[in-house]
Amino acid sequence: MKNIEPVELSESLPLLEIDTGIQWLEKEDSPFGISGVDCFKFTQSMRSVTSDENIMAKFLTLRSYNGKDLKGKLPNDFISVDTSLKYPYLGEVRDGILVKARQMENKWDIYLFDKRIYFCRSWTGELAFVVDFNFDGETVSISKIYAWADSLKDDEGYIVSQVDYLIKHYLHGKIVPHPIPQKFPLDLEQIALLSQSNYGMDCCFATYEDTVNYKRSEHGLSDR
């Protein structure tokens, strides 16, 4: 994702010199049964800030935005990615707001209109992803993702993984690992910052491993 948003720190020290809890865990020590970066303490304790009063005003204005004029829109200079994501059908949901950020540490607003889900950044309202879906009574299937042009710097697999995480965490309420771009350097501080920028306090464990096919139940965890 673009523009890593600033994190308010109490001291002018590298993150790893502060007790942020950022650490690499092998699968044997990981709460999720796969290797990755534990950034839970960091994402829960750090605060997103901006010195731009216009951004703050935009965020506050967007708290009352209903998203209706998103209908039929796609991200700017979008790219399209074919996919075959599937999720259990949890029952009928009315068009409108699905998720609304309550504070600046929540990075996403999500809307539903006419069998399309719209994922917008909460600070700016920028439309990042749009997905087409269908359901057959038991399964919701996503066949195509439209992603903003900035996603061109990432491979298609990462785009799919991001959307998958947003659906699992925000729409299904699952606590699962979130993806790291495969080409992103193994720098714990930068991974934590990227995680906080992408998902704010709504993430806890970053991994290079396959998150789309990850199932908690396969690692001895309740499937939630």
Side-chain angles (χ1 to χ4, degrees):
M1 306 291 282
K2 63 183 179 182
N3 298 332
I4 290 181
E5 293 156 354
V7 177
E8 185 177 27
L9 299 173
S10 58
E11 303 176 58
S12 297
L13 290 172
L15 296 182
L16 295 181
E17 293 184 23
I18 306 172
D19 184 19
T20 58
I22 302 169
Q23 58 181 329
W24 175 268
L25 296 177
E26 296 295 343
K27 64 180 182 180
E28 295 82 5
D29 302 314
S30 164
F32 293 100
I34 60 175
S35 61
V37 179
D38 177 0
C39 55
F40 175 74
K41 183 176 180 179
F42 175 74
T43 59
Q44 301 308 300
S45 61
M46 296 298 104
R47 291 295 173 260
S48 301
V49 295
T50 177
S51 59
D52 189 331
E53 293 182 358
N54 292 327
I55 292 178
M56 175 63 78
K58 181 71 171 180
F59 175 82
L60 294 174
T61 298
L62 287 168
R63 295 317 89 212
S64 58
Y65 174 60
N66 62 21
K68 286 185 177 179
D69 63 356
L70 290 170
K71 293 172 67 173
K73 289 187 177 180
L74 296 174
N76 291 333
D77 301 320
F78 70 88
I79 61 170
S80 62
V81 180
D82 293 327
T83 186
S84 57
L85 295 173
K86 296 183 184 298
Y87 306 92
Y89 178 53
L90 301 181
E92 184 177 359
V93 179
R94 293 181 179 179
D95 281 8
I97 299 169
L98 296 181
V99 173
K100 203 69 166 174
R102 293 182 293 178
Q103 54 191 322
M104 295 191 81
E105 285 71 46
N106 304 127
K107 304 297 185 177
W108 293 93
D109 294 328
I110 306 175
Y111 309 87
L112 168 67
F113 296 105
D114 298 333
K115 290 189 177 181
R116 273 188 171 174
I117 304 175
Y118 299 82
F119 299 85
C120 298
R121 295 293 278 175
S122 65
W123 283 32
T124 62
E126 185 170 6
L127 183 59
F129 305 111
V130 176
V131 302
D132 291 332
F133 73 90
N134 289 288
F135 60 89
D136 60 12
E138 294 184 355
T139 303
V140 175
S141 301
I142 293 175
S143 57
K144 191 175 291 292
I145 298 170
Y146 304 94
W148 57 6
D150 186 67
S151 299
L152 285 169
K153 70 183 181 184
D154 300 317
D155 62 65
E156 292 186 356
Y158 180 59
I159 294 170
V160 173
S161 295
Q162 282 186 293
V163 170
D164 174 72
Y165 179 76
L166 294 174
I167 291 172
K168 286 177 178 173
H169 182 77
Y170 289 102
L171 303 186
H172 285 245
K174 291 184 177 293
I175 301 173
V176 292
H178 59 278
I180 305 170
Q182 291 299 307
K183 296 180 181 179
F184 199 83
L186 182 52
D187 180 319
L188 302 191
E189 180 176 318
Q190 290 305 309
I191 289 172
L193 285 169
L194 180 71
S195 300
Q196 201 274 346
S197 174
N198 284 355
Y199 310 112
M201 66 187 304
D202 298 315
C203 66
C204 60
F205 191 85
T207 183
Y208 290 102
E209 297 191 32
D210 178 9
T211 56
V212 172
N213 294 304
Y214 176 85
K215 292 181 175 59
R216 289 172 53 94
S217 59
E218 293 179 356
H219 299 276
L221 303 171
S222 62
D223 193 21
R224 66 177 182 88

